[in-house]
Amino acid sequence: MHYFSYKGDDLHAEDVRFEELGREYGTPLYVYSKRTLLRHMRAYKKAFGGGGGIVSFALKANSNGAILRLLASEGAGADVVSGGELFRALKAGIPAGKTVYAGVGKTADEISYALKKNILMFNVESDEELEKINRVAGLAGRRAPVALRVNPDIDPMTHPYISTGLEKNKFGLPIKDALEFYVRALKMKNIEIIGVHEHIGSQLTELAPFREALEKVLTLIDRLRDSGIKLKYLDLGGGLGIRYDGEKPPGPGTLAKNLLPLLKDRGLTVIVEPGRSIAGNAGVLLTRCLYTKKTARKRFAIVDAGMNDLIRPALYGSYHEIIPVRRNRRARMKMDVVGPICESGDFLAADRFMPGVKAGELLCVLGAGAYGFSMSSNYNSRPHPAEVMVDGGRHWLIRKRGTYRDLIRSELVGSEL
Ligand SMILES: *Cc1c(COP(=O)(O)O)cnc(C)c1O
Protein backbone atom coordinates (compact mmCIF):
# COMPACT_ATOMS: atom_id res chain seq x y z
CA MET A 1 0.00 0.00 0.00
CA HIS A 2 1.22 3.46 -0.83
CA TYR A 3 0.02 7.04 -1.13
CA PHE A 4 0.66 7.73 -4.80
CA SER A 5 -2.64 8.01 -6.64
CA TYR A 6 -4.72 10.03 -9.07
CA LYS A 7 -7.04 12.67 -7.73
CA GLY A 8 -9.09 13.71 -10.70
CA ASP A 9 -6.67 13.44 -13.61
CA ASP A 10 -3.61 14.48 -11.63
CA LEU A 11 -1.24 12.01 -10.06
CA HIS A 12 -0.46 12.96 -6.47
CA ALA A 13 2.18 12.08 -3.92
CA GLU A 14 -0.02 12.19 -0.83
CA ASP A 15 -1.69 15.62 -1.28
CA VAL A 16 0.87 17.11 -3.67
CA ARG A 17 0.56 17.12 -7.45
CA PHE A 18 3.53 15.66 -9.26
CA GLU A 19 3.24 18.52 -11.77
CA GLU A 20 4.11 20.85 -8.94
CA LEU A 21 7.06 18.72 -7.79
CA GLY A 22 8.41 18.50 -11.33
CA ARG A 23 8.16 22.23 -11.77
CA GLU A 24 9.76 23.06 -8.44
CA TYR A 25 12.60 20.52 -8.27
CA GLY A 26 13.16 19.48 -11.87
CA THR A 27 13.67 15.93 -13.16
CA PRO A 28 14.78 13.20 -12.80
CA LEU A 29 13.54 13.31 -9.23
CA TYR A 30 13.06 10.68 -6.53
CA VAL A 31 9.89 11.37 -4.55
CA TYR A 32 9.16 9.62 -1.24
CA SER A 33 5.96 9.47 0.77
CA LYS A 34 6.55 9.87 4.49
CA ARG A 35 3.14 8.42 5.29
CA THR A 36 3.99 5.28 3.32
CA LEU A 37 7.36 4.84 5.01
CA LEU A 38 5.76 5.21 8.43
CA ARG A 39 2.97 2.84 7.57
CA HIS A 40 5.42 0.12 6.53
CA MET A 41 7.75 0.64 9.47
CA ARG A 42 4.83 0.54 11.91
CA ALA A 43 3.48 -2.64 10.34
CA TYR A 44 6.85 -4.30 10.95
CA LYS A 45 7.03 -3.01 14.51
CA LYS A 46 3.56 -4.31 15.24
CA ALA A 47 4.37 -7.69 13.69
CA PHE A 48 7.87 -8.31 15.03
CA GLY A 49 8.57 -5.62 17.64
CA GLY A 50 7.00 -7.48 20.56
CA GLY A 51 9.20 -9.12 23.19
CA GLY A 52 12.17 -6.90 22.40
CA GLY A 53 12.11 -7.79 18.70
CA ILE A 54 14.23 -5.50 16.53
CA VAL A 55 13.34 -4.15 13.08
CA SER A 56 16.69 -3.43 11.43
CA PHE A 57 16.19 -1.55 8.18
CA ALA A 58 18.50 -2.77 5.41
CA LEU A 59 20.38 0.36 4.40
CA LYS A 60 21.35 -0.92 1.01
CA ALA A 61 17.74 -0.51 -0.12
CA ASN A 62 17.82 3.23 0.57
CA SER A 63 20.38 5.05 2.67
CA ASN A 64 19.23 8.67 2.48
CA GLY A 65 19.83 10.20 5.91
CA ALA A 66 16.39 11.83 6.09
CA ILE A 67 14.71 8.47 5.53
CA LEU A 68 17.00 6.78 8.05
CA ARG A 69 16.29 9.49 10.59
CA LEU A 70 12.56 9.05 10.10
CA LEU A 71 12.83 5.28 10.58
CA ALA A 72 15.11 5.77 13.58
CA SER A 73 12.45 7.97 15.18
CA GLU A 74 10.13 4.96 14.88
CA GLY A 75 12.60 2.72 16.66
CA ALA A 76 14.34 1.14 13.66
CA GLY A 77 17.70 -0.54 13.89
CA ALA A 78 20.00 -1.03 10.90
CA ASP A 79 21.23 -3.90 8.78
CA VAL A 80 24.51 -2.76 7.26
CA VAL A 81 26.87 -4.43 4.82
CA SER A 82 29.79 -1.99 4.86
CA GLY A 83 31.61 0.51 7.03
CA GLY A 84 30.03 3.28 4.96
CA GLU A 85 26.54 2.05 5.74
CA LEU A 86 27.40 1.81 9.43
CA PHE A 87 28.62 5.40 9.29
CA ARG A 88 25.37 6.53 7.66
CA ALA A 89 23.23 4.61 10.17
CA LEU A 90 25.01 6.12 13.16
CA LYS A 91 24.93 9.62 11.66
CA ALA A 92 21.16 9.28 11.27
CA GLY A 93 20.76 8.38 14.92
CA ILE A 94 20.14 4.66 14.59
CA PRO A 95 21.46 3.03 17.78
CA ALA A 96 24.55 0.84 17.32
CA GLY A 97 22.89 -1.57 19.74
CA LYS A 98 20.22 -2.28 17.10
CA THR A 99 22.69 -2.58 14.24
CA VAL A 100 23.75 -5.84 12.66
CA TYR A 101 26.54 -6.18 10.14
CA ALA A 102 26.46 -8.79 7.34
CA GLY A 103 28.39 -9.19 4.09
CA VAL A 104 30.99 -11.65 2.83
CA GLY A 105 33.86 -9.18 2.51
CA LYS A 106 34.31 -7.23 5.75
CA THR A 107 37.79 -5.71 5.95
CA ALA A 108 39.88 -5.44 9.12
CA ASP A 109 39.29 -1.68 9.15
CA GLU A 110 35.54 -2.15 8.89
CA ILE A 111 35.53 -4.76 11.64
CA SER A 112 37.59 -2.52 13.88
CA TYR A 113 35.26 0.44 13.23
CA ALA A 114 32.15 -1.63 14.01
CA LEU A 115 33.72 -2.94 17.22
CA LYS A 116 34.58 0.57 18.32
CA LYS A 117 30.98 1.62 17.74
CA ASN A 118 29.58 -1.34 19.73
CA ILE A 119 27.23 -2.79 17.15
CA LEU A 120 24.80 -5.48 18.24
CA MET A 121 26.47 -8.25 16.24
CA PHE A 122 28.50 -9.33 13.26
CA ASN A 123 26.69 -11.73 10.96
CA VAL A 124 29.68 -13.85 10.02
CA GLU A 125 29.80 -15.47 6.60
CA SER A 126 32.95 -17.64 6.64
CA ASP A 127 35.60 -19.32 8.81
CA GLU A 128 38.31 -16.96 7.64
CA GLU A 129 36.16 -13.96 8.44
CA LEU A 130 35.54 -15.33 11.94
CA GLU A 131 39.29 -15.70 12.45
CA LYS A 132 39.83 -12.15 11.31
CA ILE A 133 37.16 -10.81 13.65
CA ASN A 134 38.76 -12.78 16.49
CA ARG A 135 42.15 -11.28 15.67
CA VAL A 136 40.92 -7.69 15.26
CA ALA A 137 38.88 -7.93 18.48
CA GLY A 138 41.94 -9.26 20.31
CA LEU A 139 44.03 -6.29 19.17
CA ALA A 140 41.29 -3.97 20.39
CA GLY A 141 41.07 -5.79 23.71
CA ARG A 142 37.47 -6.62 22.98
CA ARG A 143 35.14 -9.56 22.55
CA ALA A 144 33.18 -9.41 19.31
CA PRO A 145 29.47 -10.34 19.44
CA VAL A 146 28.82 -12.75 16.61
CA ALA A 147 26.04 -14.60 14.84
CA LEU A 148 26.68 -17.15 12.16
CA ARG A 149 24.94 -16.50 8.87
CA VAL A 150 23.76 -19.92 7.81
CA ASN A 151 22.89 -20.80 4.26
CA PRO A 152 19.83 -23.06 4.57
CA ASP A 153 19.89 -24.09 0.89
CA ILE A 154 16.33 -22.96 0.18
CA ASP A 155 15.14 -21.82 -3.22
CA PRO A 156 13.41 -18.49 -2.60
CA MET A 157 11.83 -18.66 -6.08
CA THR A 158 13.00 -15.20 -7.01
CA HIS A 159 15.43 -13.73 -9.53
CA PRO A 160 18.77 -15.61 -9.46
CA TYR A 161 20.71 -12.38 -8.85
CA ILE A 162 18.78 -11.72 -5.65
CA SER A 163 18.56 -15.25 -4.27
CA THR A 164 21.12 -15.68 -1.51
CA GLY A 165 20.19 -18.83 0.41
CA LEU A 166 21.02 -21.48 -2.16
CA GLU A 167 23.99 -23.77 -1.66
CA LYS A 168 25.58 -22.31 -4.81
CA ASN A 169 25.37 -18.72 -3.51
CA LYS A 170 28.35 -17.00 -1.90
CA PHE A 171 26.46 -16.10 1.26
CA GLY A 172 26.66 -17.70 4.69
CA LEU A 173 27.97 -21.08 5.72
CA PRO A 174 26.26 -24.32 4.71
CA ILE A 175 23.82 -25.15 7.48
CA LYS A 176 25.15 -28.70 7.68
CA ASP A 177 28.55 -27.34 8.76
CA ALA A 178 27.08 -24.86 11.23
CA LEU A 179 27.43 -26.97 14.38
CA GLU A 180 31.18 -27.42 13.83
CA PHE A 181 31.49 -23.73 13.13
CA TYR A 182 29.87 -22.85 16.45
CA VAL A 183 32.11 -25.30 18.30
CA ARG A 184 35.19 -23.68 16.72
CA ALA A 185 33.88 -20.19 17.45
CA LEU A 186 33.26 -21.13 21.06
CA LYS A 187 36.96 -21.79 21.52
CA MET A 188 38.00 -18.39 20.20
CA LYS A 189 39.01 -16.08 22.98
CA ASN A 190 37.72 -12.84 21.52
CA ILE A 191 34.46 -14.12 20.10
CA GLU A 192 31.15 -14.07 21.88
CA ILE A 193 28.54 -16.25 20.23
CA ILE A 194 25.12 -14.68 20.56
CA GLY A 195 23.01 -15.57 17.57
CA VAL A 196 22.21 -17.08 14.24
CA HIS A 197 21.33 -15.28 11.02
CA GLU A 198 19.61 -16.25 7.80
CA HIS A 199 18.62 -14.19 4.76
CA ILE A 200 17.58 -16.28 1.78
CA GLY A 201 16.88 -13.71 -0.90
CA SER A 202 14.93 -10.66 -1.94
CA GLN A 203 11.51 -9.97 -3.48
CA LEU A 204 10.04 -13.17 -2.00
CA THR A 205 6.32 -13.37 -2.60
CA GLU A 206 5.59 -16.75 -0.99
CA LEU A 207 5.59 -17.76 2.65
CA ALA A 208 6.85 -21.31 2.10
CA PRO A 209 10.56 -20.51 1.60
CA PHE A 210 10.58 -18.38 4.77
CA ARG A 211 9.00 -21.22 6.73
CA GLU A 212 11.27 -23.91 5.33
CA ALA A 213 14.37 -21.89 6.03
CA LEU A 214 13.25 -21.13 9.56
CA GLU A 215 12.46 -24.78 10.26
CA LYS A 216 15.99 -25.73 9.23
CA VAL A 217 17.48 -23.00 11.39
CA LEU A 218 15.37 -24.05 14.37
CA THR A 219 16.62 -27.61 14.03
CA LEU A 220 20.12 -26.19 14.20
CA ILE A 221 19.26 -24.05 17.23
CA ASP A 222 17.94 -27.12 19.05
CA ARG A 223 21.02 -29.15 18.20
CA LEU A 224 23.20 -26.30 19.44
CA ARG A 225 21.24 -26.15 22.69
CA ASP A 226 21.72 -29.90 23.13
CA SER A 227 25.46 -29.27 22.76
CA GLY A 228 25.32 -26.60 25.43
CA ILE A 229 25.40 -23.60 23.06
CA LYS A 230 22.61 -21.21 23.87
CA LEU A 231 21.79 -18.37 21.48
CA LYS A 232 20.03 -15.13 22.32
CA TYR A 233 19.26 -13.68 18.88
CA LEU A 234 17.54 -15.14 15.86
CA ASP A 235 17.99 -12.85 12.86
CA LEU A 236 15.45 -13.79 10.18
CA GLY A 237 16.87 -11.44 7.54
CA GLY A 238 14.72 -9.46 5.11
CA GLY A 239 13.46 -10.36 1.69
CA LEU A 240 9.73 -9.77 1.76
CA GLY A 241 8.58 -8.77 -1.72
CA ILE A 242 6.43 -5.88 -2.89
CA ARG A 243 3.99 -5.41 -5.73
CA TYR A 244 5.68 -4.32 -8.94
CA ASP A 245 3.48 -6.11 -11.45
CA GLY A 246 0.45 -7.63 -9.76
CA GLU A 247 2.38 -9.77 -7.25
CA LYS A 248 0.51 -10.43 -4.03
CA PRO A 249 3.20 -10.79 -1.39
CA PRO A 250 2.17 -11.32 2.22
CA GLY A 251 2.55 -8.37 4.58
CA PRO A 252 4.75 -8.29 7.69
CA GLY A 253 1.77 -9.26 9.87
CA THR A 254 1.10 -12.44 7.89
CA LEU A 255 4.78 -13.27 7.84
CA ALA A 256 5.01 -12.90 11.61
CA LYS A 257 1.88 -15.01 12.16
CA ASN A 258 3.44 -17.77 10.10
CA LEU A 259 6.91 -17.67 11.60
CA LEU A 260 6.75 -16.56 15.21
CA PRO A 261 4.61 -19.47 16.50
CA LEU A 262 7.37 -21.83 15.33
CA LEU A 263 9.75 -20.28 17.85
CA LYS A 264 7.52 -21.40 20.74
CA ASP A 265 9.29 -20.69 23.99
CA ARG A 266 12.87 -20.90 22.95
CA GLY A 267 13.49 -17.50 24.53
CA LEU A 268 14.99 -16.02 21.37
CA THR A 269 14.96 -12.31 20.55
CA VAL A 270 13.91 -11.88 16.94
CA ILE A 271 15.56 -9.50 14.48
CA VAL A 272 14.18 -8.78 11.00
CA GLU A 273 15.99 -6.87 8.25
CA PRO A 274 13.44 -5.51 5.79
CA GLY A 275 14.65 -3.20 3.04
CA ARG A 276 12.49 -3.33 -0.07
CA SER A 277 9.21 -3.91 1.78
CA ILE A 278 9.72 -0.68 3.75
CA ALA A 279 11.11 1.66 1.11
CA GLY A 280 10.18 0.13 -2.26
CA ASN A 281 6.62 1.33 -2.68
CA ALA A 282 7.31 4.48 -0.68
CA GLY A 283 9.29 6.05 -3.51
CA VAL A 284 8.87 6.82 -7.21
CA LEU A 285 11.10 8.24 -9.89
CA LEU A 286 9.66 11.25 -11.69
CA THR A 287 11.01 11.73 -15.18
CA ARG A 288 10.22 13.89 -18.19
CA CYS A 289 9.88 12.62 -21.72
CA LEU A 290 12.44 14.41 -23.90
CA TYR A 291 11.63 12.94 -27.28
CA THR A 292 9.62 10.25 -28.94
CA LYS A 293 10.94 8.30 -31.85
CA LYS A 294 9.57 5.64 -34.14
CA THR A 295 11.61 3.22 -36.19
CA ALA A 296 10.50 0.44 -38.53
CA ARG A 297 10.66 -2.00 -35.59
CA LYS A 298 9.98 0.00 -32.47
CA ARG A 299 8.50 2.99 -30.79
CA PHE A 300 10.60 4.76 -28.15
CA ALA A 301 9.86 7.27 -25.43
CA ILE A 302 13.19 8.83 -24.53
CA VAL A 303 13.10 10.16 -20.97
CA ASP A 304 15.55 12.11 -18.83
CA ALA A 305 16.10 9.28 -16.30
CA GLY A 306 18.45 6.50 -17.27
CA MET A 307 19.95 3.27 -16.03
CA ASN A 308 22.40 5.32 -13.99
CA ASP A 309 19.42 6.63 -11.99
CA LEU A 310 17.46 3.37 -11.77
CA ILE A 311 19.38 0.28 -12.82
CA ARG A 312 16.93 -2.46 -11.85
CA PRO A 313 15.36 -2.93 -15.31
CA ALA A 314 18.79 -3.09 -16.95
CA LEU A 315 20.36 -5.27 -14.25
CA TYR A 316 17.57 -7.72 -13.45
CA GLY A 317 15.05 -7.14 -16.23
CA SER A 318 12.78 -5.82 -13.46
CA TYR A 319 9.33 -4.51 -14.14
CA HIS A 320 8.42 -1.02 -12.95
CA GLU A 321 5.00 0.37 -13.72
CA ILE A 322 5.22 3.70 -15.55
CA ILE A 323 2.25 6.03 -15.52
CA PRO A 324 1.60 9.55 -16.77
CA VAL A 325 1.43 12.32 -14.22
CA ARG A 326 -1.56 13.75 -16.07
CA ARG A 327 -4.07 11.04 -16.89
CA ASN A 328 -4.98 10.89 -20.57
CA ARG A 329 -7.17 8.81 -22.82
CA ARG A 330 -4.63 8.19 -25.57
CA ALA A 331 -4.58 4.83 -27.30
CA ARG A 332 -2.33 2.21 -25.70
CA MET A 333 0.61 1.12 -27.78
CA LYS A 334 3.72 -0.95 -27.43
CA MET A 335 6.89 1.02 -26.70
CA ASP A 336 10.26 1.06 -24.99
CA VAL A 337 10.83 3.71 -22.37
CA VAL A 338 14.54 4.42 -22.58
CA GLY A 339 17.05 6.77 -20.99
CA PRO A 340 19.77 8.99 -22.44
CA ILE A 341 22.67 6.61 -21.58
CA CYS A 342 24.77 5.27 -24.41
CA GLU A 343 23.94 1.60 -23.80
CA SER A 344 21.24 -0.51 -25.39
CA GLY A 345 20.55 -1.93 -21.92
CA ASP A 346 19.43 1.51 -20.83
CA PHE A 347 15.70 1.06 -20.56
CA LEU A 348 13.09 1.57 -17.87
CA ALA A 349 10.49 -0.48 -19.72
CA ALA A 350 10.77 -2.75 -22.75
CA ASP A 351 7.92 -3.66 -25.11
CA ARG A 352 5.45 -2.10 -22.72
CA PHE A 353 1.80 -1.50 -23.62
CA MET A 354 0.94 1.92 -22.30
CA PRO A 355 -0.89 5.08 -23.32
CA GLY A 356 1.00 7.06 -25.95
CA VAL A 357 3.59 9.46 -24.58
CA LYS A 358 4.40 12.96 -25.81
CA ALA A 359 7.60 14.96 -25.53
CA GLY A 360 7.57 17.23 -22.52
CA GLU A 361 5.23 15.00 -20.55
CA LEU A 362 6.01 13.90 -16.98
CA LEU A 363 5.99 10.18 -16.17
CA CYS A 364 6.19 8.40 -12.86
CA VAL A 365 8.17 5.19 -12.43
CA LEU A 366 6.56 3.38 -9.51
CA GLY A 367 8.18 1.16 -6.89
CA ALA A 368 11.51 2.96 -7.10
CA GLY A 369 12.05 3.69 -3.41
CA ALA A 370 14.28 0.67 -2.81
CA TYR A 371 17.40 -0.16 -4.82
CA GLY A 372 16.74 2.99 -6.81
CA PHE A 373 18.84 5.91 -5.71
CA SER A 374 21.08 3.64 -3.63
CA MET A 375 22.21 1.82 -6.78
CA SER A 376 22.54 4.96 -8.86
CA SER A 377 25.79 6.13 -10.39
CA ASN A 378 27.30 9.00 -12.35
CA TYR A 379 27.75 6.88 -15.48
CA ASN A 380 27.90 9.02 -18.61
CA SER A 381 28.83 11.85 -16.21
CA ARG A 382 25.26 12.42 -15.24
CA PRO A 383 24.83 14.15 -11.87
CA HIS A 384 22.72 12.32 -9.27
CA PRO A 385 19.00 13.12 -9.24
CA ALA A 386 17.52 15.11 -6.36
CA GLU A 387 15.36 13.47 -3.70
CA VAL A 388 12.22 14.94 -2.15
CA MET A 389 10.07 13.94 0.81
CA VAL A 390 6.32 14.54 0.79
CA ASP A 391 4.22 14.66 3.95
CA GLY A 392 0.56 15.48 3.38
CA GLY A 393 0.61 18.79 1.53
CA ARG A 394 4.21 19.61 2.43
CA HIS A 395 7.34 18.70 0.53
CA TRP A 396 11.03 19.37 0.95
CA LEU A 397 14.36 18.44 -0.53
CA ILE A 398 16.22 15.61 1.20
CA ARG A 399 19.07 15.58 -1.30
CA LYS A 400 20.16 18.37 -3.58
CA ARG A 401 20.49 17.56 -7.24
CA GLY A 402 24.07 16.69 -8.14
CA THR A 403 26.10 19.25 -10.05
CA TYR A 404 28.82 19.13 -12.71
CA ARG A 405 31.22 20.27 -9.99
CA ASP A 406 30.26 17.19 -7.91
CA LEU A 407 31.36 15.01 -10.79
CA ILE A 408 34.99 16.13 -10.54
CA ARG A 409 35.13 17.04 -6.85
CA SER A 410 37.44 14.19 -5.78
CA GLU A 411 39.68 14.16 -8.82
CA LEU A 412 43.28 15.25 -8.52
CA VAL A 413 44.36 16.78 -11.79
CA GLY A 414 47.85 17.97 -11.01
CA SER A 415 50.68 19.19 -13.14
CA GLU A 416 52.54 15.82 -13.11
CA LEU A 417 51.64 15.21 -16.73
C1 LIG B 1 19.71 -7.09 1.09
C2 LIG B 1 19.61 -7.63 2.46
C3 LIG B 1 18.47 -7.42 3.23
C4 LIG B 1 17.26 -6.68 2.72
O1 LIG B 1 16.62 -7.38 1.73
P1 LIG B 1 15.18 -6.87 1.19
O2 LIG B 1 14.82 -7.87 0.18
O3 LIG B 1 15.38 -5.52 0.63
O4 LIG B 1 14.24 -6.86 2.36
C5 LIG B 1 18.45 -7.92 4.51
N1 LIG B 1 19.51 -8.60 5.01
C6 LIG B 1 20.63 -8.82 4.29
C7 LIG B 1 21.75 -9.56 4.90
C8 LIG B 1 20.72 -8.34 3.00
O5 LIG B 1 21.82 -8.58 2.28
Side-chain angles (χ1 to χ4, degrees), residues 58 60-61 79 81 102 149 197 199 201-203 237-240 273-277 371:
K60 75 179 193 285
D79 164 47
V81 293
R149 176 173 183 171
H197 173 231
H199 171 74
S202 201
Q203 185 54 15
L240 202 56
E273 308 172 336
R276 190 190 309 272
S277 50
Y371 307 104

Side-chain angles (χ1 to χ4, degrees), residues 79-381:
D79 164 47
V80 303
V81 293
S82 72
E85 284 193 350
L86 175 55
F87 174 78
R88 282 181 184 276
L90 296 172
K91 275 278 174 229
I94 295 179
K98 289 182 181 176
T99 297
V100 293
Y101 186 175
V104 296
K106 305 176 190 80
T107 67
D109 281 348
E110 289 176 315
I111 293 165
S112 161
Y113 174 50
L115 272 174
K116 203 176 300 161
K117 295 298 177 187
N118 287 315
I119 62 163
L120 176 60
M121 65 188 189
F122 292 91
N123 290 332
V124 175
E125 310 231 11
S126 68
D127 274 318
E128 291 186 11
E129 182 196 330
L130 182 69
E131 279 166 27
K132 184 167 279 178
I133 293 176
N134 185 46
R135 207 159 51 234
V136 173
L139 289 173
R142 295 281 312 274
R143 286 187 85 203
V146 154
L148 169 63
R149 176 173 183 171
V150 295
N151 183 331
D153 193 22
I154 295 286
D155 187 351
M157 296 180 278
T158 183
H159 190 284
Y161 285 12
I162 49 177
S163 82
T164 54
L166 280 166
E167 200 165 25
K168 66 177 183 193
N169 295 135
K170 70 178 175 180
F171 297 99
L173 236 73
I175 195 158
K176 60 178 170 36
D177 305 334
L179 190 58
E180 294 163 45
F181 175 95
Y182 276 103
V183 171
R184 278 196 299 283
L186 211 54
K187 293 190 190 128
M188 293 187 179
K189 223 173 94 218
N190 312 309
I191 295 291
E192 184 190 6
I193 295 286
I194 61 169
V196 61
H197 173 231
E198 55 154 313
H199 171 74
I200 56 174
S202 201
Q203 185 54 15
L204 274 66
T205 54
E206 307 282 339
L207 288 164
F210 284 111
R211 270 190 83 106
E212 283 170 43
L214 177 57
E215 278 162 5
K216 285 191 168 184
V217 171
L218 288 174
T219 305
L220 168 67
I221 289 173
D222 293 342
R223 284 180 61 204
L224 287 170
R225 193 197 43 213
D226 294 344
S227 316
I229 302 172
K230 195 157 167 4
L231 304 180
K232 181 161 186 327
Y233 293 100
L234 169 57
D235 185 340
L236 297 170
L240 202 56
I242 62 170
R243 176 180 299 204
Y244 289 108
D245 186 17
E247 299 93 334
K248 291 199 174 61
T254 307
L255 185 65
K257 276 196 199 82
N258 273 268
L259 298 186
L260 297 186
L262 302 180
L263 307 184
K264 298 210 188 69
D265 34 34
R266 286 183 175 84
L268 292 159
T269 300
V270 169
I271 302 169
V272 285
E273 308 172 336
R276 190 190 309 272
S277 50
I278 286 191
N281 283 336
V284 302
L285 177 59
L286 181 67
T287 183
R288 196 177 289 279
C289 178
L290 297 171
Y291 307 105
T292 62
K293 168 161 149 176
K294 195 163 168 276
T295 66
R297 303 273 301 266
K298 285 232 184 206
R299 197 184 293 271
F300 296 97
I302 301 160
V303 300
D304 65 2
M307 65 187 284
N308 69 299
D309 303 308
L310 178 65
I311 203 175
R312 298 188 69 257
L315 186 60
Y316 312 123
S318 308
Y319 180 98
H320 284 270
E321 195 177 349
I322 302 179
I323 56 177
V325 153
R326 179 109 184 123
R327 187 145 50 184
N328 62 62
R329 274 123 200 122
R330 287 179 215 139
R332 291 161 69 85
M333 53 189 78
K334 193 160 95 170
M335 71 180 94
D336 284 10
V337 180
V338 301
I341 298 280
C342 298
E343 299 270 352
S344 290
D346 177 30
F347 60 88
L348 298 176
D351 294 327
R352 180 77 54 88
F353 272 101
M354 54 189 276
V357 175
K358 290 190 171 152
E361 189 176 352
L362 286 171
L363 300 171
C364 226
V365 185
L366 302 185
Y371 307 104
F373 190 97
S374 65
M375 291 179 105
S376 69
S377 77
N378 291 125
Y379 187 41
N380 276 206
S381 286

